[in-house]
C-alpha cells in the first residue's frame, strides 16, 4: 500500500492546502495529513483545533487520515510505514527551503522521497499568515478558506462574534 504524508502547520487549513490534499489523495492509497505540533512557531489555533478543521474540510474522502506529530518528520514517516512526503510548491521562492528540507530528510532516512505538487495558480499567493491577517482586519476571507474555517477565524478575532 502506497502511504503518503502531507505535513504542515495548517494554521489554519486553506483552499491551497485542500487543493494539494485532493490531488495527493488520488496518488496515494492512503494519505496522512500530518499537523506539526510545533513549539518553535507560535500558532493561532491549537493542534486539536487545526486537526478538527482539516477533518471537517476533507470528510468526503475515505483514504485520508489526519493526525498530529512531534519531533522529526522522518521518524513519524517511518512509524507510519510511509516513504513519500508530499509538499506543495507555490512559487520559485518556496523551492530553496523545500529543497533543503527534502535533502535533509533523505540524509536522515534514505528510503524517503519528497514529491512536489505545483499549487494551483489560483492559490499561489496564499498562506495561512495572509489569511489570518485579513481576518484580523475583518476582511473577506471567503475565497481563501472554507465557510467552516472562516467561522473559526471569526471566533478567534472576537469582533466578529454575534
Ligand atoms: N497553499 C496555501 N498555503 C501553503 C501551501 C499551499 N499549497 N503550501 C504551503 N503553504 C503555506 C502555509 O500556509 C504556511 O504559511 P504560514 O507560514 O503563513 O503559516 C507556509 O506555507 C509554510 O508551510 P507549512 O506547510 O505549514 O510548512 P512549515 O514550514 O510550517 O512546516 C514541516 C513544514 C512540518 C514539513 C517541517 O517543519 C517539518 O518537517 N518539521 C518537523 C521537524 C523536522 O523533521 N525537521 C527536519 C526537516 S528540515
Amino acid at each position: 500500500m502506497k502511504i503518503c504524508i502531507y505535513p504542515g502547520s495548517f494554521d489554519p487549513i486553506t483552499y491551497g492546502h485542500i487543493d494539494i490534499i485532493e490531488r495527493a489523495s488520488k496518488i496515494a492509497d492512503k494519505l496522512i495529513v500530518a499537523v506539526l505540533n510545533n513549539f518553535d512557531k507560535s500558532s493561532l489555533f491549537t493542534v486539536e483545533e487545526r486537526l478538527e478543521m482539516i477533518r471537517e474540510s476533507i470528510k468526503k474522502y475515505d483514504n485520508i487520515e489526519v493526525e498530529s506529530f512531534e519531533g522529526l518528520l522522518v521518524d513519524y514517516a517511518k512509524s507510519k510505514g510511509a516513504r513519500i512526503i508530499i509538499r506543495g510548491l507555490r512559487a520559485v521562492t518556496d523551492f530553496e527551503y523545500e529543497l533543503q528540507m527534502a535533502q535533509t530528510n533523505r540524509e536522515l532516512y534514505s528510503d524517503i522521497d519528497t514529491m512536489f505538487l505545483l499549487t494551483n495558480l489560483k492559490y499561489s499567493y496564499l498562506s495561512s499568515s495572509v489569511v489570518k491577517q485579513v481576518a484580523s482586519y475583518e476582511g473577506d476571507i471567503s475565497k481563501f478558506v472554507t465557510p467552516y474555517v472562516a467561522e473559526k477565524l471569526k471566533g478567534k478575532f472576537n469582533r466578529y462574534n454575534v
Side-chain angles (χ1 to χ4, degrees):
M1 184 192 268
K2 204 189 303 154
I3 303 170
C4 301
I5 294 187
Y6 179 37
S9 305
F10 304 104
D11 185 41
I13 186 168
T14 69
Y15 281 134
H17 297 126
I18 293 172
D19 170 57
I20 299 288
I21 291 171
E22 285 178 348
R23 288 156 54 203
S25 77
K26 291 177 193 150
I27 296 166
D29 295 316
K30 179 163 100 179
L31 177 69
I32 302 171
V33 181
V35 178
L36 177 64
N37 199 348
N38 192 343
F39 302 105
D40 307 330
K41 200 169 170 180
S42 66
S43 49
L44 179 65
F45 292 98
T46 65
V47 172
E48 289 70 29
E49 288 170 326
R50 286 182 267 156
L51 291 170
E52 203 250 329
M53 286 185 284
I54 299 170
R55 289 196 179 110
E56 175 62 30
S57 305
I58 53 98
K59 56 186 176 195
K60 61 178 172 171
Y61 298 93
D62 54 16
N63 67 333
I64 304 178
E65 285 176 13
V66 185
E67 286 188 357
S68 65
F69 76 102
E70 283 172 15
L72 286 179
L73 177 59
V74 289
D75 290 339
Y76 175 69
K78 266 186 214 169
S79 75
K80 292 285 156 186
R83 293 189 168 180
I84 300 174
I85 296 167
I86 303 279
R87 294 289 289 167
L89 282 179
R90 290 167 299 174
V92 176
T93 43
D94 281 344
F95 184 73
E96 213 167 317
Y97 171 64
E98 293 296 337
L99 180 70
Q100 190 184 26
M101 275 208 299
Q103 300 284 35
T104 307
N105 285 331
R106 235 173 114 69
E107 278 303 311
L108 293 170
Y109 178 30
S110 58
D111 280 347
I112 204 93
D113 262 307
T114 302
M115 187 182 281
F116 296 106
L117 298 183
L118 297 184
T119 299
N120 190 317
L121 262 187
K122 267 197 315 200
Y123 307 121
S124 59
Y125 61 91
L126 204 52
S127 74
S128 300
S129 302
V130 162
V131 173
K132 285 181 279 193
Q133 193 177 56
V134 175
S136 74
Y137 290 109
E138 305 182 14
D140 179 8
I141 50 171
S142 60
K143 286 189 182 141
F144 310 151
V145 295
T146 62
Y148 185 80
V149 173
E151 276 310 305
K152 296 288 174 191
L153 275 162
K154 286 172 190 170
K156 287 284 175 189
F157 300 105
N158 270 337
R159 288 161 279 175
Y160 281 79
N161 282 345
V162 282

